[in-house]
Each structure stands twice: as C-alpha cells, then as structure tokens.
Amino acid sequence: MNAIARATQTSKEFDELKIRLKTTWMTGDYDLFSRYMEKDAEQFFQRLGVTPGTRLLDVGCGAGQLALIAARAGAQVTGCDIATNWLEQARVRAAAEELDVTFEEGDAESLPYEDAQFETVVSLFGAMFASRPDLVASELTRVCRPGGMIAMANWTPGGFIGQMFKAIARHIAPSGMPSPVLWGDEATVRDRLHEGIADLKCASHVYHFDYPFPPDAVVEFFRVNYGPMSRAFASLDLNGREKLRSELVSLWSAHNKAVDGTTRVEAEYLEVIATRGRSLLAVPQKGVTQKIRERRAELLADRIEEGAAGLAAFAEGISEAEWRMPVSGTDGRSVGVIVHHVASVYPIEIDLARTIASGKAVTDVTWEVVAGLNAKHSNDQARVTKDAALELLRRNSREAAVAVRAFTDDELDQAAPFSLSFGAPVTAQFVIEDHALRHSWHHLTRIRKALGR
C-alpha cells in the first residue's frame, strides 16, 4: 500500500473513530448521570481559585456540570463538547438559572477558539477521552493566555474508575485509541503537557460516588445513563452482558464503604494544574506557527503511541488461555511472546532509524539475523506474563515516541542503504514507519485473526 493510500486509510479510520466517540457520548442521559457528581466537582473548582470575571473554557463540558458551577461563581464561561444533545441540556439549565454561559460544539483536538482566548482552561473527566492526546495537550495550551491556568481532573489507571474501565476492556474489542486513564499517570501527563508550559503540578485526590441504592442498581444506573457503559453492554450478546454485569457488581460491592443498602465508593483521580508559559512562540498555534504542531516527527510519534495502545488494550482483555495460544500453524510463538516481542524491539528499531538519519548505511542487520533474534527471544520469553509484557510495551513505546519527536525534518529525509530493504537507500522516516510504527499494527492483526476476533 503506497503512502497516499495509507494516509487515506488512516484518515478514514480516525473519522470513523470520531463518529463512534460522538455516538458513545450522546448515548444515555449524561445530565442525570452527572448530577450525582456535582459535590466533588464543586470542590475541584474551589481549589482552582478562579476569580469573578475570569474568561474560562470548559473542554468536554457534557451537560454543563462544571461550567455552571464556574458561572455561578462569576466567571465568563464557555463550554464545548462533541455531544450536541447534552449541550442543549446545558443551555436549558443555564437559562433556568439565568446564567450567561455559551455552550457550543467543539472537539478537544481542534478547539474552535483563537490563540490565548481564555485565562483559564479546564476539563473535568472530559478531554481525557479524546483519541489523540498530544493534540489535546497542544490545543489546551494554545487557547490559554500566557500566564493562564490549565486544569484537568483525570481518572488514574489504578483507581476505582481505572479498574472499572479495565474490567470493561476484558469484554469488548479495543477502541483503537490510547487508554484515557493514561491522562491519570503523572509521567505521561508531563510527557504530553510540556511545550509552552512554565509550571506543572499534579496531585492525587479522591472523588466520592454516593448513590441511594445498592451496587447492582448502580451498575444498572451506569448502563442506562453513562454512554461508554451503555455502548459496552450493547456490543455484547446476552451471555457477555451477564458476565460483564456480574464482574462490575462484584467490583462495586468490593469497594462499597456503605453498610445501609446504599453505595459509597471512592475513586482516585489526578488533578493537573499547569501554568501557560509567557512566550507565545513556545506553544503550537494556529496560523503562522501551525507547522510546529504538524511537523512530521510529532505525527509519527502519535501513530507509534496509537498502535502500541491498541495492541495493549486488546492484549489486556484476553484470557490466560488466549495469551498462551500460538499465533499460527507456521509461527508457533504464543500471543504473549509476540506482544513482548513488539515491546522489546522498539529500542532496536529506533537505533536503526537514528543510524540512517546520520547518513550511515545499515549492512549487518539481515532477515536471517532477525529470524535468529526472534527465535532466541521466543525461547527466553516462553513464560512471559501479561503484566510484564504490557508494562514493557507501554514503557518502550512511550520512549520510542519521545525519541521520534526529537528527529528533525532533515533527519527524517536523510537516506542511506538499508540491508532489510535489500540494500536500497531508504529514508529514516521510512524505517520508522515500516518498523517502529507498523510493527504493533501488523501483529495486532495477526493476533486478532488467531483468536477469531
């Protein structure tokens, strides 16, 4: 498939993913769902110290939960979201309280606002669910004025909601996007939210879920009203729905601190407070400096992370028996060995790209050498655990993406003879795309075929 066809396919896949995300968040009744979360949303807002008159943007505002709180405190509020039905409900609520709030459709990856338009940019469990986190980070920064504040609340991987998402992932196919709860990992946040940021502070807090009904009714409440949960159940057959329901009821019951027939669960989240740098040139902006945000290395790195996240999400949801299953009759390596293999070769693939980028030929890496390395790896990692493989996959893919972002356009265009391409002079960008980037997608397709998914 040529480069144009690949780009067209990738664009089509993202368009389809966007449609699925919008459909997901327009499902259920998020207005009713968010009413039970207003108390801790108020506490989150109070810690920000927003003063009356502040121009504030709420990204992923839903039905106006945080935006209305900010408006009541005197801020000049704009809220945006991809779910147009909940925006309409937010307008109804604002009108009922005679609050002057602007609610409009907007994508966190391409915000419809001018550079430095807002003094405070916030997102309460909203922007973390967008499909391309690096674009989200640059857009949150771009629309915030120099010296202004960017604040996020994001569920952590190890917290209760992170565990709930993990339980759901064991039953449904991966979404094709990085896990949203990576926004709850401080190291990941610092990696994503750095350009144009003068200061960044992260702190763990607890969100309280209080419901006047027992855990089984809470699961049903989520199924009916919370879009991601509703769509997850709808994608399963009757047996699958019952298994997911049982697992979720057990999870809520195990964490329930109430003893009176109600439900009280604490969920950890990461509070992110960033200060926008003073220099307008320090961040990607629309218009003249948009090329900074769209430079090829950044987009290549995004796609590496996307592929690794898709493989990790799928692998995390398979059974132990599936983890040990051979991928084919000719390739006797297990699914687990293949996942660990993808993770382990990222450093090698990046080193090859760096060599080509320096103008040096690669002549000693042949397909025979690769076969020997694969055989040794298969023998050494025959009993690799899922946790170990996924940890390595996430770490090495993240480090590979960081390394790729450091390539200049001139380095990406540098060509030299490459033995894995039969000695043809290829560019460093080709090596990155054909190896570090393609590898996860290639093996995810093979694994899905082996498992009949």
Side-chain angles (χ1 to χ4, degrees), residues 206 208-210 215 252-260 262-267:
V206 170
H208 299 84
F209 286 94
D210 292 308
W252 278 91
S253 298
H255 288 79
N256 186 17
K257 295 182 178 296
V259 294
D260 57 355
T262 63
T263 303
R264 188 172 68 255
V265 167
E266 296 179 350

Side-chain angles (χ1 to χ4, degrees), residues 302-330:
D302 289 347
R303 287 153 61 197
I304 287 173
E305 291 181 319
E306 179 191 352
L311 177 60
F314 183 85
E316 194 169 40
I318 66 177
S319 67
E320 187 63 27
E322 291 173 321
W323 182 255
R324 300 297 175 189
M325 184 181 295
V327 293
S328 73
T330 55

Side-chain angles (χ1 to χ4, degrees), residues 31-50:
D31 179 39
L32 175 61
F33 178 83
S34 64
R35 302 286 181 121
Y36 286 87
M37 299 176 65
E38 289 184 347
K39 182 178 178 181
D40 282 39
E42 176 77 38
Q43 293 178 3
F44 169 76
F45 178 77
Q46 291 300 327
R47 284 198 299 272
L48 302 183
V50 176

